[in-house]
C-alpha cells in the first residue's frame, strides 16, 4: 500500500515532491517512495518494460541513480533461518 511517510517527507523536504512530480510527468507508472524518502521506485510486470523505463528516466534525469532490477518471481519461497 501507500507509504504513510510520503506526505511528511514532502513537507520536510519539498524537493522530494518536485522530483516525484517530474518522474510522473514522464508518464512513469506506479511511482512509490521508500521509507522516509531515500528512494523513489516503480513496479513493472516485465523486465523489458522495466529496462525501457530505466533508459527513459536515465535520459531525462542523467544525474539520478536509476537501476532496473529483475522482477521477483511469485510465489517467493523464503526459508526460515534456524
Amino acid at each position: 500500500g501507500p507509504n504513510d511517510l510520503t506526505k511528511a517527507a514532502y513537507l520536510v523536504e519539498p524537493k522530494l515532491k518536485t522530483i516525484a512530480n517530474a518522474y510522473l510527468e514522464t508518464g512513469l507508472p506506479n511511482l512509490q517512495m521508500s521509507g522516509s524518502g531515500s528512494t523513489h521506485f516503480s513496479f513493472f510486470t516485465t523486465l523489458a518494460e522495466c529496462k525501457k523505463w530505466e533508459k527513459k528516466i536515465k535520459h531525462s534525469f542523467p544525474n539520478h541513480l536509476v537501476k532496473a532490477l529483475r522482477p521477483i518471481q511469485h510465489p517467493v519461497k523464503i526459508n526460515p533461518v534456524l
Side-chain angles (χ1 to χ4, degrees):
N3 180 343
D4 293 337
L5 295 175
T6 299
K7 288 181 184 179
Y10 289 172
L11 287 172
V12 171
E13 184 53 71
K15 188 173 182 179
L16 290 171
K17 187 172 184 175
T18 301
I19 291 168
N21 286 335
Y23 288 157
L24 291 170
E25 286 176 11
T26 69
L28 182 67
N30 308 313
L31 184 66
Q32 301 285 321
M33 185 182 75
S34 69
S36 58
S38 62
T39 303
H40 283 98
F41 61 93
S42 290
F43 292 104
F44 302 94
T45 55
T46 67
L47 184 56
E49 182 185 13
C50 185
K51 287 185 179 241
K52 177 190 86 168
W53 277 101
E54 176 189 36
K55 184 176 179 180
K56 183 173 184 172
I57 297 299
K58 279 184 174 181
H59 177 76
S60 297
F61 304 94
N63 295 327
H64 293 202
L65 176 61
V66 180
K67 182 68 179 154
L69 302 173
R70 71 173 177 78
I72 296 172
Q73 302 299 316
H74 291 283
V76 175
K77 183 177 180 182
I78 300 174
N79 294 322
V81 177
L82 301 177

